[in-house]
Amino acid sequence: KQALKECNQFIADFEKVIKKPKKDPSTIYYTGVDLGTACIVLAVLDEHFKPVAGAYRYADVVRDGMVVDYIGAVEIVSELKAELEQKLQTELLYAAASLPPGTDELDGGAIKNVVQSAGFELTNLLDEPTAANQLLNITDGAVVDIGGGTTGISIIESGRVVKVADEATGGTHLSLVLAGAYKFSFDEAERYKRNEKHHDELLPTLKPVIEKISSIITQQISGYTVKGIYLVGGTACLKNIETIIEKTTGIPTFKPLNPMFATPLGIALSC
Ligand code: ATP
């Protein structure tokens, strides 16, 4: 509970500096670059590892952790970097990035090249749920990162990551179901789903997919003693998703305030 409380404070501070960056001078800045299927987020921390600025943009340049539009990805990261540099009146030099577990050999190089081509020196590249745990600080439990195309699972025992896994399901699957049920285009479904005002209404339609995600979590953690599940990633923003996952897995399930920012902040902390 204490870890979650501190994490929530950190995320609340980050949300504040996205709106109004902190301009106090710092000798060094650390940037977390989260290249997601749906969203690209840059989180900037100061020399004390406190949030000072952040920016994000919904984009379609990465799919399931794979960079599918290299030039587009470099352009967006460069633009967000320039926007933050202008706000902070400084050059951002160092960045870390992450990728879904198990995709390192396939795409680690592309993500690294995007970050470097945008003008950063890459200091670390780690998997998404492990990155999120840099912020969550869970010593025992499972961090489950439900993104757009993928759900990453990281099992932690006595502070050590003992298993990472990645499954091809997430928010994109939810949007496709919604598009079918409401006769929306995919983009309309995405926008409708992201609006929290619609969450109560949407939950019954989305419940079967959430239960499928839960059964995937159950499969991946079988054989391990997991006493708590900690949800991060954009899809975890869905109101009451934690209630369905808790009920289906039978394991207490928690999520931080705005789970979408746990991974980029964790990446920045790992810089
Ligand atoms: P991946 O991990 O698959 O590469 P990603 O890093 O882009 O994807 P996130 O940015 O963590 O993933 O999450 C993106 C997903 O979260 C999208 O499916 C998006 O529709 C969904 N999402 C974002 N905000 C919300 C919200 N407020 N409510 C519901 N879903 C949301």
Side-chain angles (χ1 to χ4, degrees):
K1 267 191 186 163
Q2 183 57 26
L4 215 54
K5 204 172 151 196
E6 283 170 21
C7 167
N8 284 343
Q9 186 55 55
F10 205 83
I11 293 176
D13 291 346
F14 180 59
E15 287 183 321
K16 269 188 218 150
V17 300
I18 290 179
K19 290 189 191 120
K20 192 169 182 287
K22 263 198 192 150
K23 289 191 189 153
D24 302 340
S26 173
T27 52
I28 190 164
Y29 292 89
Y30 304 103
T31 306
V33 179
D34 188 5
L35 279 172
T37 305
C39 192
I40 295 185
V41 187
L42 264 65
V44 186
L45 309 182
D46 67 7
E47 59 195 355
H48 307 294
F49 288 95
K50 298 284 178 223
V52 288
Y56 62 95
R57 190 175 305 166
Y58 282 97
D60 194 14
V61 292
V62 175
R63 233 163 267 158
D64 306 348
M66 305 287 132
V67 178
V68 291
D69 174 1
Y70 180 80
I71 304 290
V74 173
E75 265 173 23
I76 294 173
V77 176
S78 304
E79 281 167 22
L80 292 175
K81 178 177 185 278
E83 184 186 313
L84 291 169
E85 287 177 335
Q86 212 253 332
K87 284 181 179 161
L88 291 169
Q89 290 291 298
T90 189
E91 192 184 357
L92 299 172
L93 299 173
Y94 305 107
S98 74
L99 68 177
T103 56
D104 195 4
E105 284 182 9
L106 284 170
D107 211 41
I111 289 189
K112 185 173 161 193
N113 289 343
V114 168
V115 175
Q116 288 173 336
S117 300
F120 284 112
E121 184 177 318
L122 187 79
T123 58
N124 199 2
L125 183 65
L126 70 174
D127 73 78
E128 286 169 350
T130 304
N133 200 40
Q134 304 291 313
L135 176 70
L136 291 166
N137 262 321
I138 305 305
T139 48
D140 287 281
V143 177
V144 177
D145 183 351
I146 316 178
T150 64
T151 292
I153 299 153
S154 178
I155 302 176
I156 298 142
E157 288 178 355
S158 305
R160 257 181 358 103
V161 177
V162 293
K163 174 177 173 172
V164 285
D166 198 47
E167 292 276 356
T169 186
T172 304
H173 193 169
L174 296 175
S175 299
L176 288 169
V177 167
L178 195 59
Y182 281 61
K183 308 273 180 285
F184 282 162
S185 70
F186 179 79
D187 287 348
E188 283 167 344
E190 265 290 315
R191 279 195 299 276
Y192 198 81
K193 185 191 71 176
R194 287 202 296 256
N195 185 340
E196 278 176 34
K197 284 188 199 141
H198 301 144
H199 285 181
D200 287 335
E201 168 206 328
L202 291 180
L203 213 61
T205 310
L206 300 180
K207 197 168 170 234
V209 187
I210 299 171
E211 286 171 346
K212 177 73 189 157
I213 295 175
S214 299
S215 73
I216 287 170
I217 300 170
T218 303
Q219 274 168 25
Q220 290 293 346
I221 64 178
S222 90
Y224 295 86
T225 311
V226 172
K227 291 190 182 139
I229 293 174
Y230 300 84
L231 302 180
V232 298
T235 300
C237 294
L238 209 60
K239 194 175 158 194
N240 288 327
I241 188 171
E242 68 281 16
T243 317
I244 300 177
I245 292 179
E246 177 167 303
K247 206 168 164 199
T248 326
T249 59
I251 299 171
T253 302
F254 311 93
K255 69 179 186 188
L257 181 86
N258 204 339
M260 202 169 106
F261 293 142
T263 304
L265 286 169
I267 299 170
L269 285 169
S270 81
C271 222

